[in-house]
């Protein structure tokens, strides 16, 4: 059964919509929806640069220019419709796809390898835990 991620109108025309999925091994991953000129008008990719562990969308939308997603670390540019990169350190690499479709104006997850978790990213807990009531 296809799960609704968001409406097509919620996908920014020049950036990305961040959402979270879980794979068959219960690994939680972030993914992004980006506008694409090809049908169905949107594509989804795992939110990682294949060159190095680096989020393309850090929670404020991925940088895009002329139909390409820009890696914020090294500037490699990935085709929003096909996921391939032809420049920079990621040249010859491709983003990992997440299959989506558009049904009645909604973007739905149709990839059997993933289960939709939520709109938005995963909560990162990079800081140390503390029971102190003092904030820094």
């Amino acid at each position: 059964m296809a799960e609704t991620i968001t409406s097509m109108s919620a996908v920014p025309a020049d950036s990305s919509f961040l959402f979270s999925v879980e794979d068959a091994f219960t690994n939680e991953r972030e993914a992004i929806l980006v506008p694409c000129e090809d049908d169905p008008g949107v594509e989804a990719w795992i939110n990682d640069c294949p060159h190095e562990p680096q989020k393309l969308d850090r929670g404020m939308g991925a940088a895009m220019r002329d139909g390409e997603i820009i890696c914020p670390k090294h500037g490699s540019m990935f085709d929003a419709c096909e996921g391939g990169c032809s420049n920079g350190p990621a040249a010859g690499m491709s983003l990992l796809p997440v299959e989506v479709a558009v049904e009645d104006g909604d973007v739905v997850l149709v990839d059997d390898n993933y289960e939709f978790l939520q709109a938005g990213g995963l909560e990162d807990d990079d800081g140390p835990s503390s029971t102190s009531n003092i904030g820094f």
Side-chain angles (χ1 to χ4, degrees):
M1 179 164 122
E3 296 178 80
T4 299
I5 298 169
T6 192
S7 67
M8 275 294 288
S9 62
V11 179
D14 58 357
S15 189
S16 62
F17 180 91
L18 184 64
F19 66 103
S20 301
V21 294
E22 182 177 82
D23 67 20
F25 303 103
T26 67
N27 297 311
E28 294 181 347
R29 308 284 307 267
E30 288 184 355
I32 55 174
L33 292 172
V34 293
C36 172
E37 292 182 6
D38 299 342
D39 281 335
V42 66
E43 288 293 335
W45 308 102
I46 292 296
N47 188 28
D48 287 319
C49 177
H51 169 243
E52 285 186 7
Q54 173 63 52
K55 291 181 180 183
L56 300 168
D57 180 336
R58 297 176 179 177
M60 299 178 296
M64 293 185 68
R65 182 174 56 218
D66 298 328
E68 294 184 306
I69 305 162
I70 305 167
C71 175
K73 187 166 186 180
H74 292 113
S76 293
M77 298 174 73
F78 298 88
D79 184 285
C81 297
E82 297 185 17
C85 178
S86 61
N87 71 332
M93 298 179 183
S94 292
L95 299 174
L96 295 174
V98 176
E99 291 182 53
V100 295
V102 176
E103 297 176 0
D104 298 322
D106 289 333
V107 182
V108 295
L109 179 67
V110 294
D111 196 319
D112 292 336
N113 297 312
Y114 297 102
E115 180 180 328
F116 178 70
L117 293 177
Q118 65 191 21
L122 300 170
E123 293 198 281
D124 293 332
D125 187 16
D126 295 333
S129 61
S130 173
T131 56
S132 172
N133 61 357
I134 300 173
F136 294 99

